[in-house]
Amino acid sequence: MPTMTYLQAITDGLRSEMRADERVFCMGEDIGVFGGAFKVTDGFIDEFGPDRVMDTPLAESGIVGTAVGAAVVGMRPVCEMQFSDFISCGFDQLVNVAGKMHYRQGLAVPITVRLPTGGGFSGGPFHSQNPEAWFMQSPGIKIVAPATAEDAKGLLISAIRDPNPVLFCEHKFLYRRVKGEVEEGANATPMRARIARDGDTLVVITYGAMVHTALEATAELEGVRVLDLRSLVPLDEEAILESVRACSKVVIVDEANELCAAGAQVAALVAERGFEDLDGPVVRVATPNVPIPFSPPLEQAVLPSVDRVKEACVELVEY
Amino acid sequence: MSSSSTDATLVDVVMPQMGVSVAEGTVAEWAKEPGDWVDADETICVISTDKIDTDLPAPASGRLTEIEIVAGETVPVGTVLARIDTGGKPGEAHAAEDVGPPEPRSEAAAAAKASVQPEEKASGVRPQASGNGQGAKRFSPVVMRMAAEHDIDLSAIEGTGRGGRVTKKDVVAYLDEGGEAAAPLHIESPYRAEPEPPDARRLTPDAPEPPAPEAPSTLSRMRRSIGQHMKRSLETAATCTTWTEADMFRIEAARERLSLTALPLVARCAIAALREHPQLNAWLEGERYTRHDAVHLGIAVSLGDEGLIVPVIHDAHELSAEGLARRIKDLARRARAGELTPDEVRGGTFTITNPGQHGSIMATPVINQPQVAILDLEAVVKRPVVIDDAIAIRPMTIFGLSWDHRALDGVLAAQFLASLRRHVESWDGT
Amino acid sequence: MATETARSGETEHLIRDDRVALLRYMLLMRGIEERAMMLYRQGKVPGSFYDGFGQEAVSAGAAFAMGPKDRLCVLHRDLAAHLVRGVTPARIFGQYMGRAGGVTAGRDGNVHFGDWRLGCVGMVSMLPDMMLVATGMAMAFKLRHEQRCALTWFGDGSTSRGDFHEAMNWAGVQKLPVVFVLENNQFAYSTPLEAQFAVDPVHRAEGYGFPGWSVDGNDVEAVFEATREARERALVGEGPTLIACETMRMHGHAAHDDMKYVDKTRLEEWRRKDPIERQERVLEGLGVDVAAVREGVAREIEAGVEEALAMPMPDPETATEGVFCEGEANVLGDGQAPWSEVQS
C-alpha cells in the first residue's frame, strides 16, 4: 500500500473518480492551468483537458449555482472554493438552491464542494475558518471532514458518488503534515465515525485537525478513546452514544468557534440520550468566539492546543 | 518566520513557511560561510520547497557563527538553519560561539509559555457537589443506573473521585470484587407465604404492651410464620443432609466471562441434575407423592432482619444461565420491595439457598415443604487439591442437600449430588 | 453587438395551429390564475398568491420556442411556461392549495414549482438565483457538445443582484447556449425602474459580450420570434442572448398588494395593449373561432379545479421525508414541445 500525504490522497481520489466516471469534472479558481492554489489538481488539465478541469471566473455564487445547473442535467461537478472562507459568497446558492431542491422539487443535486478549511499557520481571519456549522443548520447538505490521508481519499470518493450536495472539508494544516497508507483503487469511506484510538476511561470526540491534537494530548493518559467523527451530516449518533456508554466521560473538541459549533450538537445529543451513561459533565474545548487572528501568539492562544485538550481530559478523568 | 531572542546577541536564522500548507523546506545552497559578515536583508542562503525556490534574507546584521543545516538537507519549518552573532562589528575577528543558553526559538513559543490561558477553561468540571456535601451524597447518572441494575447499596462503596465521589470505575471495581450482583441471600430456611388461618390471628395477643426500654418484644407476624413453617418441616419430614465437594474452576471462569454470579450457573447445573434424578423434583403431601416434570425453582431471598421469602422461577428448566440470572435479579429486587405476586411464591418444586458470601462453608438447610429436597450453596474458597497426583490450587465449594427420607434414600441424594458436581465441573456454557 | 430593437410580429416559423396554441396557453394561464385567485379569497389557497396578469405573452411566447430537450428555469409570473411543457391545470391548482397531488406535494407553495420530469427546475425566492442554474445547465450542454439550450426568466428588480452579473459574465465569457429572458414589468414590488438601475439592463448584455434585444413583451409572436432566434444562436455556438421583454404587471406584486403606487393612467394604457386581446384579434383575422378556444379553455380549467379539490392534503407524517436523495440521482427529463418545428 502506498504512503502519501493527505493532499496527495485527495488528488488520488479525485483523479480516480474522474478516470472512472466521465460525468465528473472539476471547477474552481486557478485549478486548471495553475493546478490549484494548493496544487491538488496539479497536472490534471494535461490528463483531462480544460473542459473537465475548468478555470472559472472569480465568482463563488457562480461556481455553486452553475454546478447545480450542471448536476441536474446529469453531470457530477466537483467545485472548489479556494478557501472555505469564501463559501460565504456562495451561501445562497448552496443553502437555498442546492440544499432545498430535493425536498421541494424531488430533484437530486449531486454536487461536491471542496472546502480547504482550518487554521494554524497565520492565515488570518479570512483564510482560517471552519464554516461547517453554518451548513449543518441547512437541511439538505451533507458535510464530511477527514483527518487521515486514507479518509481524505475515501470520503472524497463517497462525496462525489453521493446524489446530494456534499461539502468536503479538507483541512489545510493537514495537507502536507499528515501522511498515511492509502489503499489503491477507488474505495469509498462510509460517512460514519471511526475510533482513532480505543479506550474506556474517557472519550474525546472531534474531527479534522483536532483529531491529531487529541491523539497527541492524550497519548500519555491511560485508556482515553479518541472518536473521529469524519461526518457531521449525517452525524454518527450511534457511534457517539456507544462511546458514551463505554467511557462515560466526554470531552468534545472544536477548532471552529465555540458558539453552536458541531460539538455543541454532539453535546446536546449526549446530554439528552446519553444521560444515564455519564459519569461527569460534558466538557467542551473550542476556539473562543473571535475571528482567527493572524499573529502567531494570538492564533496559538485561541486554537485548541495540545496542552488545553490534555488539561481538560486530565481534570475530567479525575472527576 | 524569523525570530529574535531578546537578550542574547545570537540571532537564529530559521526555515520559513512559504505557504500555509508547507511543512518543510530544503537548503539549496549557502551564500555565506561561518565567519562571514552578513548585512540584514542580504541573501544568506537559498531555500527550496515543493512550491517555490526563494532567497532567504538575513534577519539581522552580524557575523554568521554556525551553520546547523548543510546544503541539500530538508528540515521542518521553524528549524534553526544558522546563527548570526549581532554583537560584533564588521572587520572584527568573530567572537566565541554559544553565548548563554538558547532562548525559545520563536516568539510564538515564548509567548505560548508565558501566555495566560484563555478564559475558556476546559473545565466546568468543578463539582458543585463539594459545596452541598453535608447529608445527601450526589451520584452521577451512570452510577445510579448501575446501582439500580445490580442492586448495590452505594453507601457501601468507597469513592475515589474528586471529593470522595463514587465513580463508575469504583462501581465496576466493586462488582468485580464480587459484591454479589444480588444482595445477600438468606442463611436460614425458606419461608412460604400462605394465608394465615383465621384462628391463628386470635391467638395473637392484641393488647398493646406498655412501652418499657428493656421489655421483651413480640416476634413479628412474618417471623412467627417462618418459625411455624420451619418447625412443621422439621417435625414432619425425616430430614437428612448429604454433602459433596466440587471444583468451581469452570464456573468461576464462566462467571467472569458472562458477568454473572455463581448462583445462576449452579442453578442451571442443578436443573440438569434434577432432570436426571426427577425423584428429587417432587412434592410429598402426607402420603401423596407427586413427581413433577417441570422444574419450578425456588430461590431463597433474605429480607434482612424481617425474615426471608422464596420467590419461584416457574419453568426454570427452559431458561439458560443468563435467563436464570435475569429472573433471579428481578425476583430478588421485587421481593425486597414487597412487589411479589402470590403466584410468584407458590408452586416451587425445588429450592436453592445461597448465603455463601459471608464465608460459611456448610449448612443444614430445612426442607421447604411440600418439596422433598433443598440445595445449599456456600462460599467458594481457594484450596489446595490433588489432581493427577500433584497439588493444584482450585476454587472449591461444598454443596449441601437436605432431603426427606420419607420420599427417598441416601443413595439417590448422593447420586443427585454427583450429577450436580459433574455438571459443574464440566461446565461448557450450555 | 449593438442592441437590436423590437422584432416584428411577422414570422414564418409559426403555422396556424401554433398561433392558436399560443393564444390557448395564454388563456389557460390567465384563466387558471383568475380561478385560483377566487380560491385564494375563499381560503382554499394558503400563503401568498402571485400572478402574471397582463404578462402572459412573455412566458407563453418564449416557452413555445423551446425544444423537448431544452431546459427551463421558470419564474413566478411565467405559468404559461409550465403549461406549454405539459403540466396539467389540476396539478397546478393542487400545487396552489398545498395538496398531495400538487406538483411539489405541498413542499413549496404557489409558483415555486417545476416538474423535473418535464425539464423544468423549480424556482427559489432569492432572485435571480436561477440565472446561474440555467447558466450551469448550458455549461453542461456545451461541455458535452449537445445541441440544446437552457432558458430562464427573471425580473427587472433582480438585475440589481450579484447573481445577475455573475450569470451574465459567466455565460458571456464561456459563450454558453443560454437564453436570458428579462421580464421588465416596470415594478419590483413597489420599486419603479428609476429607483432600480441607471441603465436599462438590455444594454448590459453588450458589457458582458453578447447581444441584448428589446422586444414588445405583450406581443406573443414577437416574444416567440426573438426567443427562437436566440435559441438558434445558442445551438450554433454563438453564445447567450438577453431578450428584454417590455410588459406591465397589471396586478399587485401579490394578492396582498393593492398597488396604490401605480399611476392609474399608466395601467389603462397598458390594458389597451393586453396580450390576449391582441392575439385574439390576430386570430380572428385568420378566421379562427376564438370563442370556441375560450370555451375549451374554460372547460379544461373547471375540470382541473374539480380534480384538484378532490386531492387530499399531504400526510403530516411525511413532513420530514425527502431531505436527501437516497439512491440514484434523478435527472431533468424532456418536456412537451408543442411548436410544430420541434414536435417530438
Side-chain angles (χ1 to χ4, degrees):
Chain A
M1 237 195 285
T3 299
M4 57 180 81
T5 64
Y6 182 96
L7 188 142
Q8 288 166 333
I10 295 171
T11 304
D12 193 24
L14 189 51
R15 190 192 289 120
S16 167
E17 286 302 281
M18 285 187 68
R19 282 179 182 167
D21 186 347
E22 61 181 2
R23 300 173 302 175
V24 179
F25 73 103
C26 300
M27 45 188 303
E29 295 158 20
D30 309 297
I31 66 162
V33 173
F34 190 66
F38 300 104
K39 301 299 173 199
V40 170
T41 48
D42 200 19
F44 272 43
I45 199 169
D46 299 322
E47 181 176 349
F48 301 107
D51 278 359
R52 293 184 72 196
V53 191
M54 183 187 290
D55 277 326
T56 66
L58 204 164
E60 283 75 17
S61 190
I63 290 171
V64 179
T66 57
V68 172
V72 300
V73 294
M75 299 196 79
R76 294 286 167 125
V78 181
C79 23
E80 175 184 308
M81 295 289 109
Q82 198 160 86
F83 287 81
S84 66
D85 312 59
F86 297 116
I87 191 58
S88 55
C89 302
F91 189 95
D92 182 28
Q93 289 286 343
L94 182 58
V95 165
N96 289 315
V97 183
K100 298 182 171 63
M101 188 65 78
H102 189 265
Y103 182 82
R104 300 185 307 124
Q105 310 288 340
L107 179 60
V109 180
I111 64 172
T112 302
V113 184
R114 286 182 38 235
L115 300 178
T117 60
F121 38 76
S122 283
F126 307 111
H127 294 77
S128 313
Q129 291 178 81
N130 284 283
E132 301 81 67
W134 299 344
F135 304 104
M136 286 177 75
Q137 263 266 301
S138 305
I141 299 171
K142 294 191 179 179
I143 307 173
V144 297
T148 64
E150 185 176 354
D151 287 341
K153 176 176 175 180
L155 283 174
L156 180 60
I157 291 173
S158 289
I160 293 172
R161 293 181 185 175
D162 199 296
N164 296 286
V166 182
L167 303 182
F168 180 80
C169 301
E170 45 192 71
H171 204 291
K172 302 190 287 300
F173 194 80
L174 303 182
Y175 272 158
R176 287 154 214 259
R177 288 179 184 81
V178 163
K179 282 194 177 73
E181 287 198 327
V182 177
E183 257 191 75
E184 314 241 30
N187 303 301
T189 299
M191 294 182 182
R192 288 200 297 272
R194 86 177 164 114
I195 294 179
R197 188 215 288 129
D198 206 351
D200 64 2
T201 314
L202 177 152
V203 61
V204 181
I205 303 179
T206 187
Y207 64 95
M210 291 294 111
V211 170
H212 301 279
T213 302
L215 286 168
E216 200 186 322
T218 57
E220 284 155 25
L221 303 178
E222 212 193 298
V224 173
R225 179 186 287 199
V226 175
L227 183 69
D228 174 5
L229 289 172
R230 295 203 298 194
S231 172
L232 301 178
V233 178
L235 188 65
D236 195 344
E237 299 189 342
E238 235 185 83
I240 292 167
L241 293 172
E242 191 278 322
S243 280
V244 176
R245 267 197 299 280
C247 306
S248 294
K249 287 180 173 176
V250 183
V251 172
I252 300 170
V253 183
D254 281 294
E255 188 188 311
N257 294 113
E258 185 179 30
L259 191 59
C260 296
Q265 177 62 22
V266 175
L269 171 71
V270 171
E272 184 178 347
R273 288 172 44 197
F275 181 73
E276 294 211 346
D277 293 311
L278 286 172
D279 196 27
V282 179
V283 170
R284 289 186 63 201
V285 179
T287 299
N289 298 316
V290 300
I292 310 299
F294 150 77
S295 184
L298 294 180
E299 188 181 28
Q300 294 309 312
V302 303
L303 296 181
S305 62
V306 165
D307 285 342
R308 205 147 61 98
V309 173
K310 184 173 183 182
E311 194 191 320
C313 291
V314 166
E315 269 211 56
L316 189 56
V317 165
E318 288 172 2
Y319 178 79
Chain B
M1 228 166 51
S2 327
S3 66
S4 56
S5 28
T6 44
D7 294 333
T9 54
L10 279 181
V11 171
D12 293 333
V13 181
V14 294
M15 177 62 75
Q17 181 165 27
M18 302 299 298
V20 300
S21 63
V22 173
E24 58 189 26
T26 309
V27 177
E29 67 175 291
W30 282 101
K32 296 280 180 178
E33 280 174 14
D36 286 353
W37 179 266
V38 57
D39 286 316
D41 297 336
E42 194 185 344
T43 296
I44 192 168
C45 68
V46 180
I47 57 165
S48 142
T49 69
D50 47 5
K51 281 191 154 194
I52 196 170
D53 282 4
T54 193
D55 294 337
L56 202 168
S61 299
R63 209 165 288 288
L64 182 60
T65 58
E66 57 209 70
I67 286 180
E68 304 278 336
I69 305 294
V70 302
E73 246 194 87
T74 301
V75 294
V77 163
T79 308
V80 174
L81 304 176
R83 292 197 171 85
I84 297 173
D85 182 358
T86 58
K89 288 197 193 43
E92 273 182 5
H94 49 98
E97 298 164 70
D98 285 298
V99 186
E103 289 287 301
R105 242 188 318 161
S106 70
E107 280 173 354
K113 273 194 201 166
S115 75
V116 174
Q117 286 305 306
E119 281 284 285
E120 267 73 306
K121 278 276 181 188
S123 64
V125 161
R126 308 267 160 234
Q128 318 283 27
S130 53
N132 37 328
Q134 43 269 53
K137 236 182 173 181
R138 277 207 191 158
F139 301 105
S140 70
V142 70
V143 165
M144 293 293 283
R145 180 171 60 69
M146 291 172 77
E149 276 172 17
H150 298 273
D151 207 53
I152 301 169
D153 177 5
L154 287 172
S155 61
I157 302 184
E158 187 80 39
T160 62
R162 183 170 292 129
R165 199 181 75 86
V166 174
T167 66
K168 179 191 189 184
K169 238 174 156 180
D170 295 331
V171 176
V172 169
Y174 176 82
L175 288 172
D176 278 349
E177 273 148 36
E180 296 278 58
L185 298 188
H186 85 294
I187 298 174
E188 295 303 332
S189 328
Y191 165 71
R192 182 179 66 189
E194 61 183 340
E196 279 233 293
D199 35 316
R201 235 179 270 128
R202 267 182 243 121
L203 296 176
T204 313
D206 270 325
E209 310 239 323
E214 310 240 309
S217 55
T218 336
L219 292 177
S220 71
R221 243 177 59 184
M222 177 177 270
R223 179 58 57 201
R224 268 181 276 126
S225 222
I226 293 171
Q228 277 164 13
H229 187 70
M230 296 301 107
K231 193 142 174 284
R232 196 181 311 126
S233 177
L234 286 171
E235 282 170 358
T236 58
T239 310
C240 305
T241 309
T242 309
W243 293 274
T244 190
E245 272 190 318
D247 182 348
M248 296 285 268
F249 179 69
R250 284 171 175 255
I251 295 290
E252 287 293 303
R255 265 193 55 172
E256 267 200 54
R257 206 174 53 243
L258 301 168
S259 298
L260 298 174
T261 62
L263 175 57
L265 296 164
V266 173
R268 182 78 211 117
C269 295
I271 291 168
L274 281 174
R275 304 288 258 177
E276 290 160 12
H277 307 280
Q279 303 93 316
L280 284 108
N281 192 51
W283 286 347
L284 181 60
E285 293 155 298
E287 303 283 298
R288 201 169 73 225
Y289 173 77
T290 322
R291 191 184 299 189
H292 293 270
D293 284 329
V295 177
H296 305 306
L297 188 64
I299 302 284
V301 173
S302 170
L303 301 173
D305 283 341
E306 286 178 44
L308 48 90
I309 197 164
V310 185
V312 176
I313 301 173
H314 288 273
D315 295 313
H317 57 285
E318 288 174 357
L319 295 172
S320 66
E322 285 99 328
L324 288 167
R326 274 198 289 279
R327 290 288 291 140
I328 290 170
K329 212 177 278 185
D330 175 60
L331 287 168
R333 186 185 59 77
R334 289 193 294 113
R336 273 179 225 108
E339 287 169 12
L340 292 174
T341 68
D343 275 340
E344 285 174 324
V345 292
R346 255 203 289 266
T349 60
F350 188 85
T351 298
I352 298 181
T353 159
N354 173 217
Q357 82 281 9
H358 294 285
S360 43
I361 56 167
M362 289 165 69
T364 54
V366 177
I367 297 166
N368 182 13
Q369 293 190 317
Q371 296 165 24
V372 300
I374 176 169
L375 176 68
D376 169 69
L377 270 54
E378 297 287 339
V380 176
V381 181
K382 279 200 182 149
R383 293 191 199 290
V385 299
V386 175
I387 298 180
D388 292 333
D389 286 339
I391 304 269
I393 307 294
R394 287 298 177 116
M396 301 297 290
T397 196
I398 295 173
F399 293 132
L401 183 78
S402 284
W403 46 277
D404 191 339
H405 214 315
R406 299 176 298 160
L408 55 126
D409 294 334
V411 171
L412 194 50
Q415 285 171 340
F416 169 83
L417 284 172
S419 291
L420 173 61
R421 175 187 181 170
R422 198 182 67 246
H423 284 294
V424 160
E425 292 185 347
S426 65
W427 176 269
D428 63 353
T430 46
Chain C
M1 282 177 291
T3 305
E4 307 206 26
T5 47
R7 268 76 194 12
S8 93
E10 294 292 310
T11 170
E12 65 259 9
H13 295 274
L14 290 172
I15 63 177
R16 182 188 160 107
D17 279 352
D18 291 331
R19 305 172 87 171
V20 176
L22 283 169
L23 172 66
R24 200 180 136 263
Y25 285 119
M26 290 196 290
L27 282 170
L28 258 177
M29 172 172 168
R30 185 170 293 183
I32 290 173
E33 289 184 342
E34 282 178 339
R35 197 66 179 79
M37 175 67 92
M38 280 207 301
L39 291 166
Y40 180 78
R41 294 204 177 107
Q42 292 166 341
K44 292 199 170 69
V45 173
S48 354
F49 183 75
Y50 298 84
D51 68 31
F53 192 97
Q55 302 177 212
E56 295 86 352
V58 179
S59 49
F64 200 79
M66 294 289 107
K69 296 211 166 298
D70 298 326
R71 299 291 179 251
L72 312 181
C73 291
V74 187
L75 232 63
H76 52 292
R77 307 199 198 280
D78 307 316
L79 191 63
H82 293 291
L83 296 163
V84 168
R85 291 307 265 188
V87 183
T88 63
R91 290 181 68 217
I92 293 171
F93 286 120
Q95 166 66 17
Y96 289 147
M97 294 192 287
R99 304 283 170 123
V103 182
T104 69
R107 294 305 180 79
D108 207 340
N110 52 71
V111 205
H112 283 76
F113 72 87
D115 191 336
W116 59 269
R117 291 178 190 83
L118 300 174
C120 295
V121 185
M123 63 180 281
V124 301
S125 298
M126 292 74 190
L127 308 178
D129 280 16
M130 305 318 286
M131 282 182 76
L132 281 171
V133 176
T135 303
M137 298 197 287
M139 180 174 74
F141 299 155
K142 180 163 185 190
L143 291 175
R144 298 191 302 220
H145 309 290
E146 291 171 346
Q147 288 253 293
R148 35 203 300 222
C149 75
L151 183 149
T152 184
W153 289 262
F154 55 98
D156 40 281
S158 69
T159 65
S160 296
R161 267 202 70 227
D163 279 6
F164 167 80
H165 299 278
E166 293 197 26
M168 296 277 282
N169 178 59
W170 194 299
V173 72
Q174 291 195 357
K175 230 170 165 182
L176 296 177
V178 60
V179 182
F180 294 129
V181 181
L182 167 55
E183 221 161 339
N184 184 347
N185 63 3
Q186 314 306 314
F187 284 90
Y189 207 144
S190 70
T191 310
L193 304 183
E194 51 270 23
Q196 197 66 255
F197 35 65
V199 167
D200 187 330
V202 73
H203 300 299
R204 292 203 173 124
E206 186 180 358
Y208 290 113
F210 52 90
W213 302 331
S214 287
V215 175
D216 179 354
N218 283 16
D219 179 345
V220 70
E221 297 194 1
V223 173
F224 164 81
E225 179 56 25
T227 310
R228 188 202 61 75
E229 265 191 65
R231 177 171 180 271
E232 279 239 357
R233 271 177 46 80
L235 263 44
V236 300
E238 286 179 10
T241 312
L242 173 64
I243 302 175
C245 299
E246 187 97 1
T247 182
M248 177 65 185
R249 196 193 72 204
M250 296 303 287
H251 284 171
H253 170 67
H256 52 76
D257 175 26
D258 62 9
M259 48 190 281
K260 277 210 202 68
Y261 44 85
V262 181
D263 176 49
K264 297 285 177 286
T265 328
R266 202 165 164 196
L267 273 176
E268 190 41 46
E269 276 168 26
W270 278 98
R271 216 212 53 69
R272 284 198 284 274
K273 297 190 271 186
D274 183 83
I276 289 179
E277 285 176 21
R278 288 169 74 176
Q279 188 67 358
E280 282 179 337
R281 281 198 296 276
V282 166
L283 292 178
E284 275 158 3
L286 296 172
V288 172
D289 183 356
V290 164
V293 176
R294 277 187 171 269
E295 272 165 39
V297 164
R299 275 197 302 275
E300 231 186 291
I301 290 174
E302 275 320 299
V305 173
E306 250 192 75
E307 195 184 325
L309 284 171
M311 291 175 183
M313 291 301 278
D315 179 1
E317 300 281 308
T318 63
T320 54
E321 290 168 10
V323 173
F324 289 112
C325 171
E326 321 274 353
E328 280 306 300
N330 52 348
V331 161
L332 293 175
D334 289 347
Q336 187 177 270
W339 177 30
S340 57
E341 274 188 33
V342 295
Q343 287 238 308
S344 39

